[in-house]
């Protein structure tokens, strides 16, 4: 399609009305929320067309296709990824038929539902390909332009915009979603959003969803002077109120229309609604628009931008902590890995650390809920050790049960309390006991969190906002040279290095050959590597690691040695486990910059014995 109808609306300088919420209308007509609403374009086309027609009768001059979630990632949850193009084509064709020359059609494209780099495992090029498939399907059905909506990640919106531009020159509405404070969920300020989108040459800049009219008006008033591009504003019908198992939007049509007038006065040229908005809301907005003229806006010439890259250079590694100084100098470092207590009394942890301090180790690594068990957190445990023992700590920090905001809050507080060293891990899935109903979050993985910590070290939060003085974290990551899918592990290791890792700690190594092969494949990265060592304490311990821990390879020769040692008694098995660990340590020491020895079952004596060779 040429998009001539939409281009006319863009060029005429007048205010125009978009439609409201497709999902709200479908739910009201009996479609349950566990249904794929995008598939209805194929299975219930008459129902979708009726919703389009209801909005057009209400006065909508622009309607959106029913394709908000019709990308391959979201459709895969319903086994429909292969039908991406078909679903989008059908949706566009149906909207075009419903419009019948009375309304322009925008192809709706929403977020993928997964995080993309730098905060998630999906690459920008992967995201662009997903969006390209959706855009091509929409184009095949015929439309006037594209609506990129409800994005909270500026990087993801950029990927969607590039995907659309790679297949079409039709007009694009680029809309972000914001919170009551005018920032995205990533903390990106609305001013940054508008400045960035303005630089992409999208035809329309806008906001939609998440909040009601009042918060969106506040945001619009903050940024309307930053660009001379038209603004679109599509708020929810207020904030939802939970009634039973439903969310009800309570903003009346008159309320929405009154705020639409205020938005027009503040610079909006395209108004409508998002969640909770019905044809009644749109009709009232349309009646108001006929009596309201748009405000003339222009971007000041040569106005210096208020938004700039405020990143600062990180504190040099050698100045962040004694651990960082030793790594930066190329010194060999020694550490022992400990598990925090199950209760709130840290006496045993302190006693273990006093023993390790007397043995002269460089630091103690404090695990974070290993195997998803409920224990004292690694951050408070580390603070206690530093305060009461005077031994340097390295905090292992898991992404498992925390969302991104919670992790940022934790790490800012930890920095204030003096924590300087981290090993960032994605985290183990939860066990069934003792919390069978425990859930996980995995909002971002270790790659995403490494990127966030690197930003904190540059004085910025995830949204690019200054935090004051930069944090001083020495950033460690985990790596498993014996991973079942080694290519994936190598790819993830490369991303961790790219995210700014200062060192890596290996999973426990029992076969030196596996680590040597891994090191040859990763020579280009030149990242300091800390050897993970696990002193076996029993045959059962060895058999468990060999058979039930993916990616840990215990050679049969070691199992044979542990079997023979256990026949001589429990202490003989412990002694043999220490001997094996010493042999592995000795054979690999020259290739590594440090060693981290586990203390299985709290046996710090075994860990010290390994280090005393």
């Amino acid at each position: 399609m040429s998009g001539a109808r939409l281009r006319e609306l863009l060029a005429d300088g007048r205010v125009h009305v978009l439609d409201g919420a497709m999902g709200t209308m479908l739910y009201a007509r009996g479609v349950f929320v566990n249904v794929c609403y995008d598939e209805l374009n194929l299975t219930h086309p008459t129902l979708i067309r009726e919703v389009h027609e209801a909005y057009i009768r209400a006065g909508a001059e622009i309607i959106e296709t029913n394709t908000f979630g019709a990308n391959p990632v979201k459709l895969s949850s319903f086994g429909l990824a292969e039908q991406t193009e078909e679903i989008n084509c059908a949706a566009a064709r149906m909207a075009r038929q419903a419009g019948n020359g009375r309304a322009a059609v925008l192809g709706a494209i929403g977020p993928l539902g997964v995080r993309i780099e730098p905060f998630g495992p999906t690459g920008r090029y992967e995201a662009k390909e997903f969006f390209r498939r959706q855009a091509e399907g929409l184009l095949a059905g015929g439309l006037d332009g594209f609506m990129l909506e409800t994005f909270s990640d500026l990087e993801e919106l950029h990927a969607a915009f590039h995907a659309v531009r790679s297949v079409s020159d039709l007009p694009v509405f680029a809309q972000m979603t914001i919170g009551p404070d005018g920032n995205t969920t990533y903390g990106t300020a609305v001013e940054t959003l508008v400045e960035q989108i303005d630089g992409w040459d999208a035809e329309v800049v806008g906001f939609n969803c998440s909040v009601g009219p009042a918060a969106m008006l506040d945001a619009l008033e903050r940024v309307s002077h930053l660009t001379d591009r038209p603004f679109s504003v599509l708020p929810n019908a207020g904030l939802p109120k939970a009634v039973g198992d439903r969310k009800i939007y309570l903003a009346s049509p008159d309320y929405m229309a009154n705020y639409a007038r205020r938005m027009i006065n503040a610079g909006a040229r395209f108004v409508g609604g998002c969640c909770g908005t019905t044809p009644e809301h749109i009709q009232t907005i349309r009646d108001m628009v006929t009596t309201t003229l748009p405000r003339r806006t222009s971007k000041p010439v040569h106005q210096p931008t208020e938004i700039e890259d405020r990143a600062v250079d990180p504190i040099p590694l050698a100045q962040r902590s004694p651990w960082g100084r030793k790594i930066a100098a190329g010194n060999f470092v020694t550490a022992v890995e400990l598990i925090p207590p199950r209760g709130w009394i840290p006496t045993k942890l302190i006693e273990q650390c006093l023993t390790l301090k007397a043995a002269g180790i460089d630091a103690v690594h404090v695990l974070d809920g290993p195997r998803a068990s409920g224990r004292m957190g690694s951050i408070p445990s580390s603070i206690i050790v530093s305060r009461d023992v005077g031994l340097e700590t390295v905090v292992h920090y898991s992404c498992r049960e925390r969302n991104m905001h919670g992790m940022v809050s934790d790490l800012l507080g930890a920095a204030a309390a003096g924590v300087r060293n981290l090993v960032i891990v994605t985290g183990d899935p939860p066990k069934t006991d003792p919390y069978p109903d425990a859930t996980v979050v995995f909002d971002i993985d270790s790659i995403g969190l490494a990127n966030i910590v690197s930003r904190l070290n540059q004085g910025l939060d995830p949204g690019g906002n200054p935090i004051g003085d930069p944090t001083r974290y020495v950033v460690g990551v985990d790596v498993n040279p014996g991973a079942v899918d080694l290519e994936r592990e190598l790819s993830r290791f490369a991303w961790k290095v790219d995210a700014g890792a200062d060192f890596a700690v290996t999973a426990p190594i029992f076969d030196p050959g596996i680590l040597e092969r891994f090191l040859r494949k990763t020579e280009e990265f030149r990242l300091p590597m800390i050897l993970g060592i696990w002193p076996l304490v029993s045959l059962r311990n060895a058999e468990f690691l060999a058979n039930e821990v993916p990616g840990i390879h215990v050679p049969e020769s070691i199992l044979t040695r542990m079997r023979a040692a256990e026949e001589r008694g429990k202490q003989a098995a412990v002694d043999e486990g220490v001997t094996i660990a010493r042999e592995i340590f000795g054979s690999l020491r020259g290739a590594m910059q440090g060693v981290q020895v586990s203390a299985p079952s709290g046996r710090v004596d075994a860990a010290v014995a390994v280090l005393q060779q």
Side-chain angles (χ1 to χ4, degrees), residues 132-438:
R132 182 195 60 77
R133 289 185 58 189
Q134 185 175 4
E136 288 188 336
L138 289 166
L139 281 171
L143 67 161
D144 297 290
F146 291 89
M147 171 65 83
L148 311 180
E149 60 179 355
T150 324
F151 285 83
S152 56
D153 180 359
L154 199 56
E155 290 285 352
E156 187 178 11
L157 177 63
H158 203 195
F161 180 78
H162 273 300
V164 168
R165 280 288 189 251
S166 71
V167 298
S168 171
D169 62 356
L170 291 175
V172 176
F173 285 58
Q175 295 188 155
M176 295 287 291
T177 187
I178 55 175
D181 60 355
N183 299 333
T184 69
T185 55
Y186 285 74
T188 307
V190 66
E191 291 85 356
T192 302
L193 302 178
V194 171
E195 184 191 57
Q196 293 293 318
I197 297 171
D198 180 63
W200 305 342
D201 291 332
E203 280 73 12
V204 179
V205 180
F207 313 111
N208 78 290
C209 204
S210 295
V211 295
M216 284 211 177
L217 176 60
D218 291 341
L220 180 61
E221 289 175 338
R222 285 168 54 180
V223 298
S224 60
H225 66 286
L226 295 179
T227 178
D228 55 5
R229 299 186 188 280
F231 275 97
S232 60
V233 187
L234 285 72
N236 288 347
L239 296 176
K241 177 179 177 61
V243 179
D245 59 352
R246 297 185 60 185
K247 291 188 181 296
I248 306 297
Y249 292 85
L250 302 179
S252 68
D254 287 339
Y255 179 84
M256 292 285 283
N258 285 334
Y259 263 93
R261 175 183 283 111
R262 297 175 186 176
M263 291 171 185
I264 293 167
N265 291 334
R269 275 202 51 218
F270 294 90
V271 293
C274 204
C275 300
T277 309
T278 67
E280 289 73 24
H281 291 88
I282 296 304
Q283 183 172 349
T284 307
I285 291 173
R286 175 60 182 168
D287 292 342
M288 178 277 303
V289 165
T290 59
T291 65
T292 305
L293 295 175
R295 192 191 85 181
R296 297 285 182 181
T297 61
S298 61
K299 186 176 181 180
V301 179
H302 303 304
Q303 174 181 317
T305 178
E306 297 177 5
I307 308 300
E308 57 187 14
D309 183 3
R310 300 177 181 176
V312 299
D313 292 334
I315 302 297
L317 177 60
Q319 298 176 23
R320 297 181 209 166
S321 73
W323 177 262
R325 182 170 62 253
K326 292 170 185 174
I327 290 177
N331 297 338
F332 193 89
V333 292
T334 59
V336 172
E337 179 184 86
L338 292 179
I339 298 175
R342 286 193 179 276
W344 65 278
I345 303 297
T347 304
K348 181 178 179 181
L349 176 65
I350 291 173
E351 291 173 351
Q352 291 172 322
C353 290
L354 287 169
T355 299
L356 295 174
K357 183 179 181 181
I361 68 163
D362 292 307
V364 59
H365 286 224
V366 184
L367 296 185
D368 186 17
R371 301 184 63 204
S373 59
R375 293 178 176 271
M376 183 183 293
S378 58
I379 290 176
S381 297
S382 297
I383 293 171
I384 290 170
V385 170
S386 297
R387 181 192 67 196
D388 294 354
V389 180
L391 181 62
E392 188 166 19
T393 59
V394 179
V395 172
H396 286 227
Y397 190 79
S398 166
C399 303
R400 180 180 50 242
E401 58 275 285
R402 304 172 174 102
N403 65 21
M404 186 173 71
H405 296 293
M407 287 187 269
V408 171
S409 297
D410 280 353
L411 294 174
L412 290 175
V419 173
R420 294 292 179 264
N421 309 306
L422 298 173
V423 171
I424 296 169
V425 299
T426 298
D428 301 318
K431 301 187 301 179
T432 56
D433 294 322
Y435 310 110
D437 298 322

Side-chain angles (χ1 to χ4, degrees), residues 495-561:
W495 282 114
K496 291 175 182 178
V497 174
D498 184 69
D502 297 306
F503 68 96
V505 180
T506 75
I509 298 297
F510 295 94
D511 184 344
I514 287 178
L515 179 59
E516 289 166 353
R517 287 191 293 272
F518 182 83
L519 291 176
R520 286 195 294 271
K521 291 179 178 290
T522 58
E523 285 178 341
E524 62 184 288
F525 299 120
R526 300 185 180 278
L527 190 72
M529 195 79 70
I530 309 298
L531 172 66
I533 292 286
W534 183 291
L536 299 168
V537 293
S538 67
L539 174 62
R540 180 178 295 183
N541 181 206
E543 291 175 336
F544 172 78
L545 292 171
N547 295 284
E548 299 190 41
V549 181
I552 301 297
H553 177 62
V554 182
E556 183 60 36
S557 59
I558 289 181
L559 293 174
T560 299
R561 289 175 62 177

